[in-house]
Amino acid sequence: MHVLSSAVSKCDVPSPHENLLDRFQRVRNFTISLVSELSEADASAQSMSDTSPAKWHLAHTTWLFETFVLCEYVHTYHLYDNRFSFLFNSYYEAKGARIPRTQRGLITRPSLAEVIAYRFYVDQKMKEMIPLLPPAALELVWLGCQHEEQHQELLVTDILHLFSINPLEPTVWATPGQAMPTNPRLLQWITMAEGPVRIGNSGDGFSFDCEKPEHTTWLAPHAIADRVVTNREWQIFIDNGGYHNPALWLSDGWSWVKEHAIESPLYWRRDQHGGWTKHFGLDGVTLLDLDGPVRHVSYFEADAYARWAGARLPTEAEWEHAASSLNPSAGVFMDKAGVVQPLCAPDDDGLQQMFGDVWEWTGSAYLSYPGFVPEPGAVGEYNGKFMSGQFVLKGGSCATPRGHVRATYRNFFYPHQRWQFTGVRLAKDL
Amino acid sequence: MHVLSSAVSKCDVPSPHENLLDRFQRVRNFTISLVSELSEADASAQSMSDTSPAKWHLAHTTWLFETFVLCEYVHTYHLYDNRFSFLFNSYYEAKGARIPRTQRGLITRPSLAEVIAYRFYVDQKMKEMIPLLPPAALELVWLGCQHEEQHQELLVTDILHLFSINPLEPTVWATPGQAMPTNPRLLQWITMAEGPVRIGNSGDGFSFDCEKPEHTTWLAPHAIADRVVTNREWQIFIDNGGYHNPALWLSDGWSWVKEHAIESPLYWRRDQHGGWTKHFGLDGVTLLDLDGPVRHVSYFEADAYARWAGARLPTEAEWEHAASSLNPSAGVFMDKAGVVQPLCAPDDDGLQQMFGDVWEWTGSAYLSYPGFVPEPGAVGEYNGKFMSGQFVLKGGSCATPRGHVRATYRNFFYPHQRWQFTGVRLAKDL
Amino acid sequence: MHVLSSAVSKCDVPSPHENLLDRFQRVRNFTISLVSELSEADASAQSMSDTSPAKWHLAHTTWLFETFVLCEYVHTYHLYDNRFSFLFNSYYEAKGARIPRTQRGLITRPSLAEVIAYRFYVDQKMKEMIPLLPPAALELVWLGCQHEEQHQELLVTDILHLFSINPLEPTVWATPGQAMPTNPRLLQWITMAEGPVRIGNSGDGFSFDCEKPEHTTWLAPHAIADRVVTNREWQIFIDNGGYHNPALWLSDGWSWVKEHAIESPLYWRRDQHGGWTKHFGLDGVTLLDLDGPVRHVSYFEADAYARWAGARLPTEAEWEHAASSLNPSAGVFMDKAGVVQPLCAPDDDGLQQMFGDVWEWTGSAYLSYPGFVPEPGAVGEYNGKFMSGQFVLKGGSCATPRGHVRATYRNFFYPHQRWQFTGVRLAKDL
Amino acid sequence: MHVLSSAVSKCDVPSPHENLLDRFQRVRNFTISLVSELSEADASAQSMSDTSPAKWHLAHTTWLFETFVLCEYVHTYHLYDNRFSFLFNSYYEAKGARIPRTQRGLITRPSLAEVIAYRFYVDQKMKEMIPLLPPAALELVWLGCQHEEQHQELLVTDILHLFSINPLEPTVWATPGQAMPTNPRLLQWITMAEGPVRIGNSGDGFSFDCEKPEHTTWLAPHAIADRVVTNREWQIFIDNGGYHNPALWLSDGWSWVKEHAIESPLYWRRDQHGGWTKHFGLDGVTLLDLDGPVRHVSYFEADAYARWAGARLPTEAEWEHAASSLNPSAGVFMDKAGVVQPLCAPDDDGLQQMFGDVWEWTGSAYLSYPGFVPEPGAVGEYNGKFMSGQFVLKGGSCATPRGHVRATYRNFFYPHQRWQFTGVRLAKDL
């Protein structure tokens, strides 16, 4: 997902101001906690063009507060270093040139310590000014916090990807001691009726602009699986030749499989017998948790799996409608710095794992809603800029900060991307 | 569009058998007429990976009748040359290996004459057998005719692309003598109400499987332009810096513009003063018809233009609903071998140019309809295989054989492709 | 080899004028005879960026006479078509823009017949003018004939490459009836003494400027093989794991082997048992002639073979010194249109196969000789332009017109190229 | 240059053993001093595929002593970490797989501190064992020291390249206080007679195997410039359109210029008026020293400059013969960690700047000498592996450790490479 594709259209910041200040401080501190185990080199390297160095995430999120809040609303503010606007801008054409995305890992200076000093400088100003800012600025603070939460997830997944390339298989954090629950129930289908439903965001709380407006759509009769696909189920797909049967794949997907010799989800590792029983995570190489959700699969893989299973992926509207009455803050989310991993589905009736655990690929392209209105100004410059070629994912993951997502939340990636915690929930026509 | 993404689900072939025979002969003869002005070299060359040599179109369409009709239903049939299955197969993994798509232009043998002999051989058998074939086979004959009509359009657009690269600017056919009507009326907006509508194909006539099933969808209140965008309007977009303003473009589109230094529609040519007043067509370089529809624009360009104009592209459902009561065979289509070109909109009230003239980009991704059922067997192997990354186009063009399209017809291309006769109709939210 | 890297520094054209006229006519007619079996499509296609269409060779060689002789020396001359200067120019920056080398296969017009008409037009003028031209122009005529002979070889090897890609394995000419001699003698080493020798061209006959001047170089004591390596010997290299042992290869060569999965010389084909017993040639697929010279090997392969054999490649000076007393017009050359192929070494004492059969890779880089003087003017613009990254080959091949080469002749290609008739003669230090 | 293309053929280690121990310690300590100003991130990043991280240089040089000395000759030795063999091997196929060269910058663990600990561990063992090792092992120690000196130069040039990409233009070391001498004398030509000379290494001191054997070659009459080309002279070349005149360039060079839009030596920077008056170095951006040697130019540039100047590059033999009586340890070399830069030529008669300052491109390809014998074993696996496509450079540079080079020393790079301190000396035929 390309972040900051958003803007707020009305003032939905909770009052009084102190609450926003608390949130600002909590978010900012949490980001710092995520890099506490990283070396200067870990924080500077970039493993592929889709990822960014941790140091860049730290600085870019800070740059946003500096540029859109302090520079715009605090006329006595002095830029920390005017060259940082160039270095840590992401894709805002209106804000000037930027370094090529593929070369972020070569910016070894400023150092991690200097970036943290930059954060400290901006944070001090922000904390001083938040009680004094006008509502329009407070909306931007709120937006900046949301934006930073997105980068927290990216920071964690980017580090995971970097370490996955290192033959030493480094461990960022120790494996969590908790025992993994096992034996998920048989997958159940939950039937959904035909008819008009309302989806999209009504604007009563914070939301990104691409979630709006709320509007009517029509659902065909269908059923949706009560839990996501597990690693054990995915092993059967592999054993059944799933990665070698072109009839299961989209044409672009089959080209991708062949070009990259794809044979399993991204971080699966073979054991000494050649079996797919291990995987690489933030705690290094461990045994694959067979009853946990499959993760780090692309849309192409999710779609092929669904076809193999005689099902399909849910549409965004189907998913959102099913999730609309659930609590979006309950589930397996990222609450603290440490190993994140999705868990086995609880042994309960009804829809499980809708929020948290893994982002769920939908069969819907990421496109604008009827009545979509791009926001003016540089923050909104890229609203809707990514509406070609990508698919929507819903529900958040174990690497998403708790409280960040909601049913209307729209994440999106290209169909070949899979370094996020992405998984699969099945649906079918009735 | 990748052709033959289709199958017929019920016997919708008109009886008696003679009608199908007539159609078969008409279609087959028309294809031959399209290559009458081509040299052996013209018919063998491939100008880019998206296109195919004319000779390949001639042979591939024949291969389909041979493989799926004669080989399956006529047990006394002898293959014309078993190596042709390899050479002229397109993308049917189930039917064996195939030569790389990019090397089709290197297959200088068999010759054009040999390919025409192959056509003659298969046609003789087909004409002999059509009166005797069972209904299931007749459906395939019908499908084969539809398939060949798709290739007729591709053949013409592929030749246009080939000749556009030649610095000698060859002319395939003489410019038509007819005067181009001028002075289109001011663009009018036609208002459409909110509510449920039925789109997709009910299966009462021939259709490709991706058009089915008919189903309900919900339209938001909107308006649709009564005609397509003209070359004159596009010149204003260019003069206004449209190709140099990143705020107008999708992110992927902006990358495409910069990488390929795009500055105009595909076949526009500068005059000696640097002005965009000429274009290249099947009749060589001529003056741009300012009141005719802009054509050979990509989705990226169509989308950028719409944003610049304060509008958007219609969704597939909006377009289809608006077109549902119009005659899909009336309009500017390809009726005979010769220069094809869209015309200025008639000076009439109501929706103009919906069918024919130019394919109209919609803002809808090419994805499956609820209840979509892929057909079994090798003909249907690739049903739905192209449902990622592409956008739907509607209505046919001046290079589409008359009678080929209908309101539910779904053409699709990647957002950067523009060698077809692709144009733009605007819509807007109300 | 990039042709026309040359110029003549003194008038070495045989008198009287009629001899040059005869030669001109013979060379021009021979080129036409080489395309007599090609279709319009065969003559227009380009199989890779290193090759050119036959039609292009026909036109480019004509363009040279038109541009450098007729336009310069015949003031009443009218250009046949001024657009041909653009189309058929090769790399003369001074003569204006040119179409990208990779797109020559897309120039389907002018037709083969038109190009032959162009040849006829220029030939008529040339034949009329040759008796009247001043000496400086006659030198250019002579040069143009040499240039055309180079293109005759390229035309044949380019067609071979084009047909090698066609799964139908077309045959250009019938296999020659002659029996292939067999059982070459054991390879003998011919000892050469240390000391100064003269190499390079003294300028007493025609030569390209890169062959000049004659100069002294010093040879170390060495031995040179009396014949070239055979296909049978190469099979042993393969069976011995030659293509899978990195210790045998140059670093760049090993990268090339792995990237392209090289396992044999270019046109070798496996039989149904997986053995390398067949090859593709101008007469289609035939049995490999085991006692004939290995051909279509790259420098990387030649160098690896030599290392495997405990030997090395000869230097250019060693080869040229050894060849200096031999008749450069005796041997297996191209005398007429038809299948060309190298033959088994004769059962004689002394150096065999030095001229004709296969171009022999030397271990010498293609660089300038001391005292090398580039020629002025557009013909000489690219003199010496190719002096980086290429290796010298000596002696001509079965596809070289008889009489074209001499001991001082310097052909050159990049170390990965192998679509010419390139083979291997061994040498060793003493 | 690809290092370690070498081996020693006889024991040329100075006795007594203590001298070697001293040298070992001096070399090892000097390497550490070079990274003292680098951060962990600076030491881990890789700026392009030709360069390596400083940390990798530190570890790889250590790996060599561990692998070829301690593992082979000290049977009680315990590997520090067996995974380091994989990580820090360079290109020794015989020693097992290695990580892709382009991903060295992603190995953020082990840390710089861990690599330094690895160095300490190996150094302790080495210092303990050197007095006890047999002569064959001592030769390898000597070789390892030479190898490490090569990496010292690469380490410095790689860091310079990394920092040159950073928009912040970081400074590694403060600018040296010394005043730059100015006003070099007019270039003088020194005449050299024709005749046989001896070049190559006689084996009386240490040398890499590609320098051997000493052998006779023949020089044509020529003259060689008494100093190298200056920045001021290069500015004239630029002002004279040197980078825009294809007639000056090799064909491959002209492609390189156009593809990369080359307009100046690698680290030249424009001032605010667009003039080329600044350059980037280890001390950041400073004024170009106009009378200092031009540096960071490719072979293509050196060759084009020479052609423009009506001269040529010297051959390796010409250069080596001219240098044979000079002291290879006198000149501008790297004596300590700090800014390195070539200096203006002294105001003296005779050949200046032959050793040190800048590596001088010769017009000779890097190929084997007659009688070249590759060394056996894994150290020598790649002897001669780089003998295609590269050109020889002579004399060392300001980044070469003093004492490292000699007249017979052969450095080599591809003609487009220019991140080393590479410059130009002219020669001409007489």
Side-chain angles (χ1 to χ4, degrees), chain B residues 15 19 69 101 133 138 148 162 199 201 204 208 226 236 240 242 244 249 255-256 267 278 295 314 391 394 396 408:
Chain B
S15 63
N19 287 357
V69 178
R101 172 155 194 144
L133 289 171
L138 295 179
E148 184 143 350
L162 171 65
I199 68 160
N201 197 285
D204 288 337
F208 292 109
D226 67 340
I236 298 170
N240 203 236
H244 297 95
W249 295 80
S255 299
W256 172 80
Y267 296 131
K278 297 186 170 184
R295 61 241 198 210
F391 283 88
K394 303 291 279 191
T408 62

Side-chain angles (χ1 to χ4, degrees), chain B residues 85-252:
Chain B
S85 295
F86 176 74
L87 290 176
F88 302 121
N89 184 348
S90 55
Y91 46 69
Y92 305 91
E93 303 274 350
K95 284 282 166 186
R98 53 197 165 95
I99 57 168
R101 172 155 194 144
T102 52
Q103 297 201 341
R104 288 180 182 165
L106 304 183
I107 308 304
T108 58
R109 315 270 180 107
S111 69
L112 179 56
E114 287 172 299
V115 165
I116 288 174
Y118 172 42
R119 287 181 70 92
F120 183 78
Y121 175 88
V122 168
D123 284 359
Q124 289 302 102
K125 281 288 171 191
M126 285 293 294
K127 287 186 272 189
E128 177 186 326
M129 297 310 301
I130 282 176
L132 309 172
L133 289 171
L138 295 179
E139 288 177 13
L140 290 166
V141 177
W142 197 259
L143 174 63
C145 291
Q146 298 283 343
H147 171 253
E148 184 143 350
E149 286 180 343
Q150 295 177 312
H151 278 279
Q152 288 164 355
E153 180 158 8
L154 292 171
L155 192 159
V156 168
T157 53
D158 291 359
I159 282 293
L160 174 57
H161 189 264
L162 171 65
F163 279 21
S164 78
I165 286 170
N166 192 324
L168 300 195
E169 299 172 338
T171 300
V172 185
W173 289 293
T175 305
Q178 80 214 70
M180 175 74 71
T182 56
N183 289 320
R185 304 210 297 189
L186 279 182
L187 185 151
Q188 305 292 326
W189 291 103
I190 295 176
T191 301
M192 309 296 281
E194 183 171 23
V197 296
R198 297 289 283 176
I199 68 160
N201 197 285
S202 64
D204 288 337
F206 176 85
S207 63
F208 292 109
D209 64 352
C210 62
E211 301 173 49
K212 288 176 279 197
E214 190 185 42
H215 62 283
T216 300
T217 193
W218 189 277
L219 298 186
H222 65 283
I224 191 165
D226 67 340
R227 61 164 174 80
V228 295
V229 172
T230 65
N231 285 320
R232 193 187 300 277
E233 288 164 336
W234 204 271
Q235 279 184 338
I236 298 170
F237 172 67
I238 292 176
D239 292 345
N240 203 236
Y243 283 97
H244 297 95
N245 179 1
L248 298 175
W249 295 80
L250 288 167
S251 179
D252 289 348

Side-chain angles (χ1 to χ4, degrees), chain C residues 246-247 249 251-252 371 385 414 429, chain D residues 246-247 249 251-252 371 385 414 429:
Chain C
W249 294 80
S251 179
D252 288 348
K385 286 276 164 165
Y414 287 99
D429 295 309
Chain D
W249 295 80
S251 180
D252 288 349
K385 287 275 165 165
Y414 288 98
D429 295 308

Side-chain angles (χ1 to χ4, degrees), chain B residues 40 50 52 83 93 99 137 142 198 206 274 301 315 318-319 332 356 360 371 389 403 410:
Chain B
E40 174 87 21
D50 288 337
S52 294
R83 301 169 307 171
E93 303 274 350
I99 57 168
W142 197 259
R198 297 289 283 176
F206 176 85
E301 289 168 285
T315 66
E318 289 166 353
W319 191 99
V332 179
E360 302 179 17
R410 312 180 79 192

Side-chain angles (χ1 to χ4, degrees), chain D residues 20 26 46 50 78 149 160 335 376:
Chain D
L20 179 55
R26 181 170 58 76
Q46 179 182 26
D50 288 337
H78 291 286
E149 286 180 344
L160 173 58
D335 293 314

Side-chain angles (χ1 to χ4, degrees), chain A residues 137-149:
Chain A
L138 294 179
E139 287 176 14
L140 291 167
V141 177
W142 196 258
L143 174 64
C145 292
Q146 298 283 344
H147 170 254
E148 184 144 350
E149 286 179 344

